[in-house]
Amino acid sequence: MHQRLACLVLVCPHVAGCTQAACALSDVRAAAARLGCSLVIKAWGPAYRLELHSASQLPDGAGQKGSMLGYSDGFTQPNGVVHLESIQFRRFTGYWSRRQGARSRRYKVAPRGKAYGLGLLLSLAVCCWINERDPFSCRRMQLLAIMDEPRQHRTLVRYYRRLGFKPLRQVGDGVGSLGDSLVWGGAGLLMEASVADFLESNAPKLLQL
């Protein structure tokens, strides 16, 4: 099962020439391997989808087996904006309460990070993909911490603050937020960070996963 966690947009000022990143996709792949999973990148021109898969097949709910743990997808645009459509993880990866019975087996065997979890691993992968392969060389990023449920929203805001995102403004349901609502498709807190700063500050955490 999936649940929408956040939306991410990456804004590009088209700065020519970029500094060397604090980490690369190869580093993320190595960290994923240490956790018992792999990074799968699917890209079609400006569109991309990054997936985390378990190295071994995991028991699925209906007697089937599946190895995908979570994914992030989006697309780049000529105006310099990369839109991250979604970040989603399966319920048994550790982002949800432990289940009893048959579901507990999936929880126990699913790979997960120690401190920051698979969310950080996938977020770093997205930033590395942008840094290395985005045709529009985006340097800034924004995300909307979705307000689907108050408790979950507070958790998202705390998590992204820890990663280095700073609040910009609230996106509500009123007329004043109409433009943002159309762009983001919902209400929540708009937050921003630099792609380079995100990589620099969070790359060392790969060793803590």
Side-chain angles (χ1 to χ4, degrees), residues 95-138:
Y95 292 87
W96 313 97
S97 60
R98 292 172 175 80
R99 303 289 181 174
Q100 301 299 319
R103 293 184 178 181
S104 65
R105 183 185 173 197
R106 287 182 289 165
Y107 185 94
K108 291 177 181 178
V109 301
R112 61 182 57 86
K114 297 177 182 178
Y116 297 91
L118 300 181
L120 175 61
L121 186 66
L122 189 55
S123 297
L124 281 168
V126 170
C127 284
C128 288
W129 184 90
I130 292 163
N131 197 55
E132 297 176 26
R133 305 184 184 182
D134 171 26
F136 301 109
S137 303
C138 295

Side-chain angles (χ1 to χ4, degrees), residues 19-67:
T19 58
Q20 185 175 1
C23 71
L25 281 170
S26 58
D27 300 315
V28 178
R29 290 184 187 276
R34 291 197 303 270
L35 291 175
C37 55
S38 61
L39 176 67
V40 177
I41 300 175
K42 302 176 182 179
W44 308 269
Y48 67 87
R49 177 181 168 109
L50 276 64
E51 300 175 352
L52 285 177
H53 288 253
S54 172
S56 59
Q57 292 292 308
L58 300 176
D60 213 349
Q64 302 176 347
K65 290 183 180 265
S67 64

